Amino acid sequence: MKRLVPSGEMTLGPFFPREFAQGAFDLTSVGGRKAEGEIIEVRGRVVQLDGTGLDNAVLEIWQADHQGRFDNPGFFGWGRAATDGDGNYLFKTILPGAPRGRAPHINFLILYSGLMRQLQTVMFFSDAEDPVLHAVQPAALRRKLVASKDGNSYRFDIRLRGDGETPFFDD
Amino acid sequence: MSNTTPATPSVIERRDPLTQSQGVEQGYDQTFKRWPSQPLQRRPLTASELSGPADLTRRLEPVRGDLAGYGDKRAIGQLIHLRTRVVDEDGAPVPGAVVEIWHCNAAGRYIHPNDSHGAPVDPNFYGAARLVAGDSGLVELRTIKPAAYPVPDAAGWWRPPHVHFSVWGRVWLSRLVTQMFFPGDPLNEADAILNAIRDPEARARCIARLAPTHQGPQGALVYDYQIVVRGRRATSSLP
């Protein structure tokens, strides 16, 4: 069969409707059903080249449930949040378990004005053995994908460009 | 048979650089502040990237199937009917695909509070809808044609009329955000965003097709548009 070429990605632009950007940041329940596992917060700040925080940048996440499964009907592992005027975002979710062959992690994608394609990155909970984390070169960059922990709150800052730039993936 | 999502394994192949923007685009200054300066990393793909949420409407409910309105609530502008089909790289429809659509009004103004463009707000137009594709992958939206508008602080760059799309395919890596353009608009030729797609055929596919005017509902021009999300079925083991 002839392969169709995927549509060209284009920027989200600055005017993604607020009602779409908000309201899906809490993954701890779906359809009134509470997920099993340890509730955590994931927060951070998204900045550009000059260090300015970005307003209304959209982040989407996809993660496994507390046992490392992606097919649990009692947990909906997808969520979306938008940054505030200072570039800060917040997700409320469940500490993911380790999927087979992987360390616990949360997939992130970032959509924004000035990003012609979605930027893909991954947040890890520790500098663990993981094929995706260990694919990052040079190795010194790997620590930028490991969140810092404060109680049940994890901080994952994202620098799109410039000194201390976050590693992003091309697939 | 495993119970993972999706039931049919998807294969994601590398992007073709001619059919996708490479990130930093001349004439679009913000790409120089935001697209990473370091080369993107390669990673092995695992179940994590090749799975995705089944039935996204559990978290995102459909909203507003019609943006044009009727009677004294009718939005100002030329009535259009968008017929968008969501398919994968095999050409197979993606039933249940969630599609978000947003665009500015007939004067070039978005509903967003960050839009400081001086064009008037239309009280009867709220330019945001979330739809779910049917069995044939089709989503239909009755709305009004958006206007062109000048990009602030961009030295005379005007965006041609366009419609924003946000689409989910079968897996995490199928996610697509793009824009649809209208055929024949002279601003298409100079738009830094449309022309980031270097391959002329791929660029042409970002422009909707005007259907014959006798085919559509009365009073509306019909535009057909096809969205191809990433992913194809894993090769069958059958001969």
Side-chain angles (χ1 to χ4, degrees), chain A residues 63-66 68 95-99 101-107 122-126 128-130 133 145:
Chain A
Q63 66 162 88
D65 74 357
H66 71 296
L95 184 66
R102 296 290 309 270
H105 65 277
I106 299 178
N107 297 300
V122 184
M123 181 193 117
F124 291 89
F125 293 85
S126 66
E129 196 63 38
D130 181 273
L133 183 58
L145 298 186

Side-chain angles (χ1 to χ4, degrees), chain A residues 72-148:
Chain A
N72 172 1
F75 175 68
F76 200 84
W78 182 90
R80 174 157 71 187
T83 55
D84 65 17
D86 290 324
N88 295 302
Y89 72 88
L90 168 68
F91 287 101
K92 204 173 148 191
T93 186
I94 298 292
L95 184 66
R100 186 182 310 210
R102 296 290 309 270
H105 65 277
I106 299 178
N107 297 300
F108 272 70
L109 71 81
I110 301 133
L111 300 163
Y112 197 49
S113 168
L115 297 181
M116 283 295 293
R117 294 191 346 226
Q118 61 190 268
L119 280 177
Q120 288 270 350
T121 191
V122 184
M123 181 193 117
F124 291 89
F125 293 85
S126 66
D127 185 5
E129 196 63 38
D130 181 273
V132 169
L133 183 58
H134 281 245
V136 174
Q137 298 290 345
L141 287 176
R142 293 173 195 160
R143 64 183 169 78
K144 296 194 188 304
L145 298 186
V146 180
S148 58

